[in-house]
Structures are given as structure tokens and as C-alpha cells.
């Protein structure tokens, strides 16, 4: 059964309509302070405001621990609550868990040393786009604007107790069995992550290499107890990103993997090599003007909880909008039913 401390956490998360319990209040206070003071980080330790950076990181760790405790509470609640109580309260706890996954990763992203740009939030979201309670206040602190479709998903019919971790790409990712960082070529990095997500070098997996090489600061990783199970990647300025991809990234891969390399291997290997030698489709200028940022998301087949996918999207869109993006687009093959279904479920 749930411990007395866990029951107290549950009560404090959903205290009264216009009042928060101690845990919820602490979450909000940490998040507000970390967002307002994010410019005190991202500097070398010897800089004049190194003390401010240390304070920020200490408070960020406290926020991470609170988020992790709440995510564990969701997992424990699904496993131990009676069915009647579970189906009454799970939708609310599920929403909070998803929001805190995104908020926790967003705070980690703010603390990356390479990220020092100000948060250019533009106009606030319309009031109708937000809900009440703790969920609504956390939503207001994430700079996703009017992307309200991401906040209105029915909970799963069969609640899952699976624990997830969402975080930005880290330099340490180049080890530990999954080549996610900057060690190795971008194609090896892409294949390493894709091998963790599914057992075939699909089109999204091959495209991921360009983001990992040219825009790693907007790459996020979703993990479950078995390792990486999803990713979200973006390019803030898509036009420059695509030009760099076509002028430097693709030629380097074509030189490393000549078209005859995969002829002796399996058909899937040939397809992967030939992909790099095909000319990518040009993006129309009207699209780039209206939607200046490019995004790509994907999860492993074992991720059945749409809430985890939603958290991925929330975090990536928050990071892009925090640096001034006013719109995003993604490229999907009309024959890729899996990706089309994935994006459709996000709204």
C-alpha cells in the first residue's frame, strides 16, 4: 500500500481549487525562480557570477528531486491503489506527471552551459488555453504559447506504472552502450539511438543524425527502465540548418559511405546507404517564413503511453520558443503510417 508520506504528497498536489499544499507550492516556487534566474547559469565556474550559478544548480537539483518523487508517486499509485480510487484520481495524477516530466527536462536544458540565450516568450497564451489548479500554473510557466492541443489528451484506458525520465542530450551519452553524444560519427550516433528505439534503421533514425551533429542543443531523450525509448530533436533556424546539412553533413556521409558499400549486405543496409545519396526535398520558402523551426520526434514501439510522447513535444517546443521561435514544422513521408499516426495523436 501507499505510505503515509505518499498519501500526504497526493493530498498536497490536489489541495483546494485555489490553494496548494506544501509540495505543490514548493514545486511552483522552484520553477518560477529557476525560470526567472536562468541567465545566472551557462557561464564558466571562474566567472564573476559563479556563486549565482551554483545557487541556481542547487535549486535545480531540488526541483528535479521533487519532480522525480511525484513521478514515482504516480507509478506507485497505479500499482497499489484500489481500482475505484485509481480510475477516479489517475487522470489528474497522470496529467501532473506528464507536465513535470517536461518541466524537469526544461529546467535541465536551461542549465546547460551552451544555452545562454534569453527567453523571448512573446505574447501570453489566451486564458481559455489554460486549465486551473497546479496543472494550469505549471502550464503557464512553460513557454509553449497557445499549443493547447498538447494539454488535452484523455488518459490511457489501462494506466501504466512505467517510470520515465526525460532530459536533454548530455555529453556523457557518448558512452553507456548508446552512442548519443559527440563521440563517433553522426551516422553512428544516429544508429546507436535508433538501435535502442527499434531494431530497424528507419527513415526518422537516419534523419536524426543531422540533428545530433548540427543541432544537439535542441535534442531530448526519453528513457524508461530499459534505456532510451524516445527522442525529440529540433533546429531553431531551419533554413540555415537545412543548408548546412546539404552542404557539409550529407557530403561527408556520402564520402564515408559510397553507394556501392551496401550492395553486398542485406536490403535494409543498402536502403540506409542509398538514403544518404538521394537528394532531399526542398522546403518551400512560405513554409520556412511562417514556421522557422524544424522538429522531429519518435518513440519506440514499447512506449504506449501518449503522455510520455506529449511531454517530449512540450519540452522541445518550450526550448525552441524560449529562444524566440514562432512556429515549427516537421517532414513526414506520406507512406510512413507510424510517424503520421504518432504526430496525429499529439494533436
Amino acid at each position: 500500500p501507499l505510505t503515509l508520506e505518499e498519501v500526504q504528497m497526493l493530498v498536497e498536489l490536489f489541495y483546494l481549487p485555489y490553494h496548494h499544499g506544501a509540495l505543490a507550492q514548493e514545486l511552483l516556487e522552484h520553477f518560477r525562480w529557476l525560470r526567472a534566474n536562468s541567465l545566472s547559469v551557462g557561464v564558466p565556474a571562474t566567472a564573476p557570477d559563479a556563486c549565482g550559478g551554483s545557487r541556481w544548480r542547487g535549486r535545480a537539483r531540488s526541483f528535479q528531486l521533487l519532480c522525480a518523487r511525484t513521478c514515482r508517486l504516480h507509478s506507485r499509485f497505479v500499482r497499489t491503489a484500489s481500482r475505484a480510487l485509481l480510475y477516479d484520481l489517475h487522470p489528474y495524477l497522470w496529467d501532473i506527471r506528464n507536465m513535470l516530466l517536461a518541466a524537469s527536462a526544461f529546467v535541465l536544458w536551461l542549465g546547460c552551459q551552451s544555452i545562454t540565450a534569453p527567453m523571448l516568450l512573446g505574447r501570453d497564451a489566451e486564458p481559455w488555453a489554460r486549465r486551473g489548479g497546479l496543472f494550469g500554473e505549471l502550464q503557464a510557466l512553460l513557454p509553449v504559447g497557445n499549443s493547447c492541443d498538447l494539454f488535452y489528451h484523455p488518459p490511457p484506458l489501462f494506466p501504466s506504472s512505467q517510470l520515465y525520465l526525460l532530459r536533454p542530450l548530455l555529453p556523457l551519452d557518448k558512452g553507456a552502450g548508446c552512442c548519443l553524444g559527440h563521440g563517433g560519427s553522426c551516422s553512428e550516433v544516429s544508429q546507436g539511438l535508433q538501435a535502442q528505439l527499434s531494431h530497424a534503421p528507419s527513415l526518422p533514425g537516419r534523419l536524426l543524425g543531422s540533428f545530433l551533429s548540427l543541432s544537439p542543443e535542441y535534442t531530448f531523450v526519453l528513457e524508461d527502465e530499459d534505456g532510451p525509448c524516445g527522442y525529440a530533436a529540433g533546429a531553431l533556424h531551419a533554413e540555415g540548418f537545412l543548408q548546412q546539412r546539404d552542404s557539409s553533413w550529407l557530403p561527408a556521409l556520402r564520402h564515408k559511405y559510397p553507394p556501392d558499400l551496401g550492395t553486398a549486405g542485406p536490403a535494409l543496409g543498402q536502403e540506409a546507404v542509398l538514403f544518404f545519396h538521394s537528394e532531399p526535398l526542398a522546403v518551400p520558402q512560405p513554409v520556412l517564413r511562417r514556421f522557422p523551426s524544424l522538429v522531429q520526434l519518435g518513440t519506440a514501439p514499447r512506449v504506449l503511453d501518449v503522455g510520455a510522447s506529449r511531454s517530449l513535444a512540450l519540452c522541445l517546443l518550450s526550448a525552441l520558443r524560449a529562444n524566440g521561435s514562432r512556429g515549427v514544422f516537421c517532414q513526414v513521408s506520406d507512406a510512413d503510417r507510424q510517424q503520421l499516426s504518432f504526430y496525429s495523436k499529439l494533436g
Side-chain angles (χ1 to χ4, degrees), residues 328-342:
V328 303
F329 72 96
C330 57
Q331 294 177 292
V332 189
S333 165
D334 55 4
D336 193 337
R337 295 182 180 275
Q338 183 179 357
Q339 282 292 96
L340 289 171
S341 172
F342 175 81

Side-chain angles (χ1 to χ4, degrees), residues 105 108-110 112-115 167-174 179-184 186 189-190 193 207-221 231-237 241 244 249 294 296 315-316 319-320 323:
L108 274 176
W109 177 82
L110 285 176
C112 292
Q113 289 199 0
S114 59
I115 305 297
R167 57 175 178 77
L169 190 75
L170 302 172
L172 295 176
D173 288 322
K174 62 186 177 184
C179 186
L180 290 177
H182 305 290
C186 46
V189 168
S190 172
L193 179 54
L207 289 173
L208 181 61
S210 57
F211 289 98
L212 293 169
S213 179
L214 304 176
S215 186
E217 64 272 22
Y218 292 103
T219 304
F220 295 87
V221 181
Y231 69 91
L236 182 63
H237 303 292
F241 171 84
Q244 195 175 359
W249 183 77
L294 174 64
Q296 182 180 300
C315 192
L316 177 58
L320 290 168
N323 278 340

